[in-house]
Amino acid sequence: MPFRCRLIVFAFLPFASRAEDKVTFNEHIRPILAENCFACHGSDAAHRKAKLRLDLASGATVERDGVRALVPGVLAKSELWQRIISPHDDEVMPPPESHKAPLKPAQRELIRRWIADGAVYQNHWAYEPVSRPAVPAPGAGAGDNPVDRFVGAKLAPRKLSLAPEASREVLFRRVTLDLTGLPPPPEEIDAYLADAALGAYERAVDRLLASPRYGEQFGRHWLDAVRYGDTHGLHLDNVRMIWPYRDWVVSAFNRNLPFDQFTTEQIAGDMLPNPRIDQLVATGYNRCQLTTSEGGSIEAEAEMRNTADRADTTAAVWLGLTAGCASCHDHKFDPISQREYYSLGAFFKGLADRVWDGNIPRPGPLVLVANATQEKRLREIAAALPPLQAALTARADELPVKIPPPEKTTEEEMPAEKAPKKSVTYEVVWAEDGDMPSVADFGKPAPAGEWRGGEGVPVFAGKRALRLEGAVERSVNFSTGEVPLLVRTAAKAFVHLHPDPARPPRAVSLEFIGEGKTKRLFWGDPEAFGPEVAKDATVVGPLPAPGEYARLEIDAVATGIALNKPYTGLRLTQSDGAAWWDRVGVTCTSPAANTDPLLTASAWISLLRNNARDMLNVPLPHDIVYLVGVSGTQQNAAEKKRLAQFHRDYIYGPTRGALEPEARAVRALTAEQVHYEITLPASLIARELPEPLPAHVLIRGQYDKPGERVEPGTPAFLPPLAKSGERASRLDLARWIVDPKNPLTARVTVNRFWQQLFGAGLVRTPADFGAQGEAPTHPELLDWLASEFVRSGWDVKKLVRLFVTSRTYRQDSAVYP
């Protein structure tokens, strides 16, 4: 947009060196060497050519075989200069095979003057402590704003000055767009133009800083920097529940949360003492990376990418470092070793979120965004559930098991590894879309004749049954159809039947729906279905007496389904008359829990998606939803154990009644907890594992080639990290980042805000303050702003107000001769 170019061209562009200007290493020489020399003669020792290092004076001036790259003040003896001016392809630097263009005459002249003047090295400007330069005296029209004084001091030697101030209407539109992201409505423009009193512009700025739109505008830029997204960003790119983090960022800018606190809560809010919900929400910063559950992904590789993303983003956003360049080898341009890079990544190795997120909206860890009353109750539930769950699990461990008889051979004849194990028998109940409600209580059925509900509908154990009348057929699915249950061992299906006392059916039949033809089993007189059906009918027994509540059961294998073949449901057929049907399900007995068909991943998914709501009388807890959403190959051992325990404690056990006393209390609290989970918004957060994953240097950056193990740490060229414990934590990292002694954070941050408001930063490479980044156009102004930002208590609104009230900001955007 044109107004983004409102500054006079000369005010912020670097100037070519004039004859009277002093040539300095940081401003003039380092950029040339970084572009042309440091790749081969920089900080990366493993790839350094001729053992020559040019980024340090000690490396450049050391003598080797009677030759020195630099002899300060003596061009004839400085091998660097002789190589630069050499006409020979086998000597000239940079060499032709580097595919870099020969140095331009102006660049050669700068190097010549620098060597002749003594080849004085400087530490890289961004790594030096932040200074607080004296504010220059006011120049012509500069006023009292320190920004204008520094800019004016740069313009004065060139006999330049700021452009005239923009018109009131243009200026008001500009500042409104910059601070709120929206143009001002006509009535606001009219009100501003009508205010002719002194300070009208400053009052308008204060109103805009107090607008809710201010936080949205500045939050938008921050969220772009930290790679925020409402979706997973990869593969299916499903929605993920992280918008409360977005709202937290907006609120933080509107509340003018100090930037050091803003930083700490995002990186490590979960590690603060007794963190509030909003501080947990803030840690969504750590969950903004791309995630996947794509079947071909490798967990170790994906985990490596997640860690790298977090380390790279943190280094770029807060420190202005291209740390990722050190993932395969030592950084070629900046003093970051490969070991230090992986030490930085080690801070994020303790995060508890899984690599594979199931592509579900709310993969844990989560925080529920609750009010004070709700939060108090959630904390009470969280404290009460673990001991109850532990008691339930202890009782489940006491349940008896049976040893099945051998089928074709004896245990002595069978190899030890194939000998029968302890069997486990489970009953699982299905319901079909509410038409045939299941009965969660597997105790005795209600007594015959206990009729409740409207229109003569019987109720058994508090659940309505399904009434079928006449010659009808009904199918009940055991799965979604996507993942059929596999019959790998003995399995039986059952249904409960209550014939109408006044008009019972003559016959009923049950049949598995599966691959190929299966037998149909009958109760009562199969002639009721016609002679063709009766001819080959297999009659199990008589119908239950009218008014009696009975269980009909068929054996899967006896009906013709082969082992390891899938079946998807049960077909119920009634001849005539009327009957109530309910509580349809399957019974499985397996030689061992690890071969139980209901403990396979596909069966878990099918069972839980369709039936856990009826088993628990509540939807699934969010952590179990996550496990259901992850395929069997993407569940680690701990998660498989958690899911198996959930089935045993809350599905199989309670439905058999054996665990009902213990399960009842757990179920009540679980129901309340899940109620909050499905009614309150949630947000992805950071949480620390009890033991972090080990961090290693990855050889050439390959996930499957771990080298030396490393601990969390920061680059040695920056101030040391203060550890609060034996192992440095993310909280230590956050505090180190905003330590006033850190030379990068304040510089990088004020530069980002400057760029947002002026269109270009004082450093034109906002994510690279290293050797290959551009030097600041106004280094004294950058340092003064950084020191003032820290001195103000990291006050963002104060800094922004300083910028937009300056004459530099308010000048006309036109370029004047």
Side-chain angles (χ1 to χ4, degrees):
M1 291 179 285
F3 72 87
R4 287 291 183 191
C5 303
R6 54 183 167 267
L7 302 179
I8 297 178
V9 171
F10 300 107
F12 291 101
L13 289 177
F15 293 93
S17 179
R18 300 178 300 172
E20 64 270 23
D21 287 337
K22 179 177 178 61
V23 178
T24 64
F25 181 76
N26 274 341
E27 187 174 359
H28 304 103
I29 305 304
R30 187 189 295 275
I32 300 173
L33 298 183
E35 175 65 23
N36 297 280
C37 307
F38 286 174
C40 297
H41 303 293
S43 57
D44 181 6
H47 296 86
R48 193 177 295 146
K49 303 293 179 65
K51 299 182 180 179
L52 172 62
R53 184 169 184 176
L54 293 177
D55 59 327
L56 297 177
S58 57
T61 57
V62 68
E63 183 175 323
R64 295 182 180 84
D65 299 327
V67 177
R68 289 196 289 173
L70 282 177
V71 178
V74 186
L75 288 164
K77 294 184 178 180
S78 296
E79 185 67 14
L80 172 64
W81 174 247
Q82 298 304 319
R83 291 296 189 100
I84 287 173
I85 64 175
S86 175
H88 306 296
D89 287 349
D90 60 344
E91 290 185 351
V92 68
M93 291 291 167
E97 60 267 22
S98 70
H99 304 293
K100 294 183 180 295
L103 297 187
K104 297 175 182 178
Q107 293 174 316
R108 293 187 181 192
E109 176 60 15
L110 287 172
I111 292 177
R112 185 194 68 77
R113 288 176 54 195
W114 175 65
I115 296 174
D117 290 345
V120 178
Y121 271 78
Q122 296 171 301
N123 290 331
H124 184 52
W125 65 269
Y127 306 150
E128 288 287 283
V130 174
S131 63
R132 187 174 175 83
V135 178
D144 292 329
N145 191 302
V147 170
D148 301 327
R149 294 199 189 180
F150 279 104
V151 172
K154 186 90 175 205
L155 293 173
R158 292 159 178 83
K159 303 187 185 313
L160 297 170
S161 62
L162 295 173
E165 188 168 331
S167 69
R168 294 193 73 203
E169 185 172 0
V170 167
L171 182 57
F172 185 65
R173 176 180 171 84
R174 175 192 300 169
V175 73
T176 304
L177 276 168
D178 279 347
L179 296 188
T180 69
L182 299 168
E187 60 272 18
E188 290 188 10
I189 297 176
D190 293 341
Y192 172 69
L193 295 178
D195 184 359
L198 188 66
Y201 176 74
E202 288 75 10
R203 289 192 294 275
V205 168
D206 291 338
R207 286 195 299 272
L208 294 170
L209 290 173
S211 166
R213 306 288 85 78
Y214 162 80
E216 294 171 1
Q217 167 73 341
F218 276 71
R220 176 174 66 86
H221 288 273
W222 180 262
L223 292 168
D224 283 346
V226 299
R227 81 276 192 240
Y228 171 82
D230 287 310
T231 63
H232 296 265
L234 195 66
H235 189 36
L236 300 180
D237 199 23
N238 291 346
V239 171
R240 60 182 171 191
M241 187 70 71
I242 197 171
W243 60 261
Y245 167 67
R246 174 202 66 200
D247 287 4
W248 178 87
V249 169
V250 171
S251 171
F253 278 107
N254 279 330
R255 291 181 287 126
N256 200 27
L257 188 68
F259 188 80
D260 57 343
Q261 189 176 340
F262 179 73
T263 296
T264 301
E265 292 185 8
Q266 288 183 86
I267 295 176
D270 58 305
M271 306 185 84
L272 294 171
N274 300 314
R276 303 185 308 269
I277 285 179
D278 64 297
Q279 292 173 324
L280 294 174
V281 168
T283 64
Y285 160 75
N286 295 289
R287 302 291 302 279
C288 286
Q289 80 282 356
L290 296 177
T291 58
T292 184
S293 283
E294 191 273 322
S297 60
I298 301 170
E299 184 168 14
E301 183 181 18
E303 190 278 327
M304 177 272 291
R305 288 198 305 266
N306 283 356
T307 300
D309 176 271
R310 286 158 172 159
D312 295 350
T313 303
T314 302
V317 170
W318 276 279
L319 304 175
L321 294 176
T322 55
C325 295
S327 61
C328 301
H329 47 70
D330 291 350
H331 203 297
K332 290 184 177 295
F333 305 100
D334 296 318
I336 305 173
S337 69
Q338 189 183 20
R339 189 180 191 281
E340 289 172 331
Y341 173 74
Y342 287 103
S343 292
L344 184 62
F347 283 104
F348 303 98
K349 284 285 192 176
L351 289 172
D353 57 294
R354 270 294 310 272
V355 173
W356 288 302
D357 53 26
N359 288 316
I360 62 175
R362 308 203 295 182
L366 299 173
V367 64
L368 299 179
V369 184
N371 60 35
T373 302
Q374 294 164 336
E375 182 182 3
K376 180 175 181 292
R377 181 55 184 156
L378 284 167
R379 290 182 184 273
E380 290 172 350
I381 294 172
L385 264 178
L388 292 174
Q389 289 170 327
L392 179 61
T393 298
R395 274 284 293 122
D397 289 338
E398 298 172 359
L399 293 178
V401 294
K402 301 176 182 179
I403 305 294
E407 295 180 0
K408 294 184 179 180
T409 183
T410 65
E411 189 170 345
E412 289 74 22
E413 295 169 336
M414 188 178 294
E417 66 272 13
K418 294 184 179 180
K421 308 292 184 181
K422 291 182 177 180
S423 67
V424 182
T425 301
Y426 295 125
E427 282 187 353
V428 184
V429 176
W430 278 267
E432 188 184 51
D433 299 329
D435 286 342
M436 184 170 288
S438 60
V439 179
D441 184 353
F442 262 45
K444 294 180 179 180
E450 183 181 340
W451 306 90
R452 289 178 296 167
E455 301 179 358
V457 177
V459 177
F460 302 117
K463 292 283 186 175
R464 285 180 44 163
L466 175 67
R467 180 181 174 89
L468 298 182
E469 296 192 25
V472 292
E473 183 179 279
R474 186 79 175 181
S475 296
V476 179
N477 291 329
F478 288 147
S479 73
T480 61
E482 300 170 357
V483 188
L485 192 64
L486 296 181
V487 181
R488 293 179 176 167
T489 56
K492 296 179 180 180
F494 62 87
V495 63
H496 286 198
L497 178 72
H498 189 124
D500 187 279
R503 193 165 55 92
R506 292 172 55 200
V508 296
S509 70
L510 299 180
E511 180 183 8
F512 277 112
I513 303 170
E515 289 190 357
K517 187 176 180 180
T518 62
K519 287 183 181 180
R520 183 176 172 188
L521 303 183
F522 294 83
W523 285 261
D525 183 5
E527 288 285 349
F529 295 102
E532 289 299 319
V533 174
K535 181 174 59 174
D536 298 319
T538 301
V539 179
V540 178
L543 269 176
E548 289 188 2
Y549 191 77
R551 173 182 175 122
L552 310 182
E553 188 173 73
I554 60 174
D555 184 273
V557 177
T559 60
I561 291 183
L563 292 180
N564 297 317
K565 294 294 184 181
Y567 67 90
T568 58
L570 190 66
R571 185 175 291 114
L572 322 171
T573 311
Q574 180 175 303
S575 63
D576 46 28
W580 284 268
W581 304 73
D582 72 346
R583 210 168 106 198
V584 61
V586 66
T587 302
C588 289
T589 301
S590 103
N594 61 355
T595 59
D596 187 337
L598 295 180
L599 293 181
T600 63
S602 61
W604 281 342
I605 293 170
S606 174
L607 170 66
L608 284 171
R609 281 179 178 165
N610 297 314
N611 313 306
R613 181 186 297 267
D614 292 310
M615 296 298 94
L616 288 172
N617 295 316
V618 293
L620 293 176
H622 65 74
D623 58 334
I624 297 299
V625 170
Y626 165 72
L627 293 182
V628 171
V630 179
S631 77
T633 59
Q634 292 181 335
Q635 290 166 359
N636 60 35
E639 290 168 344
K640 289 178 179 178
K641 180 179 179 181
R642 167 82 175 98
L643 195 52
Q645 181 175 313
F646 181 84
H647 276 72
R648 183 191 64 187
D649 292 357
Y650 305 144
I651 304 294
Y652 307 145
T655 58
R656 287 181 291 157
L659 301 178
E660 186 57 28
E662 292 83 358
R664 189 178 296 113
V666 172
R667 189 181 300 140
L669 284 179
T670 302
E672 187 177 0
Q673 185 181 57
V674 173
H675 167 74
Y676 284 120
E677 290 175 0
I678 64 177
T679 57
L680 294 176
S683 194
L684 312 188
I685 64 168
R687 182 175 296 147
E688 199 73 3
L689 292 166
E691 283 294 328
L693 298 176
H696 297 267
V697 173
L698 300 182
I699 298 171
R700 297 190 61 81
Q702 293 182 238
Y703 74 92
D704 56 350
K705 291 189 176 179
E708 174 192 5
R709 182 165 179 170
V710 295
E711 295 299 320
T714 52
F717 73 92
L718 292 171
L721 172 80
K723 295 194 299 183
S724 57
E726 184 177 345
R727 184 181 189 273
S729 68
R730 277 184 290 116
L731 185 57
D732 295 329
L733 173 65
R735 289 170 173 164
W736 173 82
I737 286 174
V738 292
D739 188 326
K741 295 178 182 178
N742 191 318
L744 291 170
T745 306
R747 284 182 174 129
V748 169
T749 304
V750 299
N751 186 70
R752 180 180 293 108
F753 290 132
W754 182 282
Q755 173 181 282
Q756 182 178 330
L757 294 167
F758 287 94
L762 296 171
V763 177
R764 300 301 177 84
T765 51
D768 188 0
F769 273 48
Q772 283 205 304
E774 293 191 24
T777 57
H778 295 66
E780 294 84 5
L781 173 57
L782 179 64
D783 267 21
W784 186 88
L785 289 171
S787 66
E788 181 65 16
F789 188 39
V790 175
R791 178 179 286 191
S792 72
W794 302 86
D795 190 325
V796 176
K797 283 190 176 182
K798 183 177 181 180
L799 180 72
V800 171
R801 192 181 191 280
L802 180 71
F803 288 166
V804 299
T805 56
S806 68
R807 270 282 288 110
T808 304
Y809 177 86
R810 293 159 62 176
Q811 63 186 316
D812 199 333
S813 58
V815 177
Y816 289 82

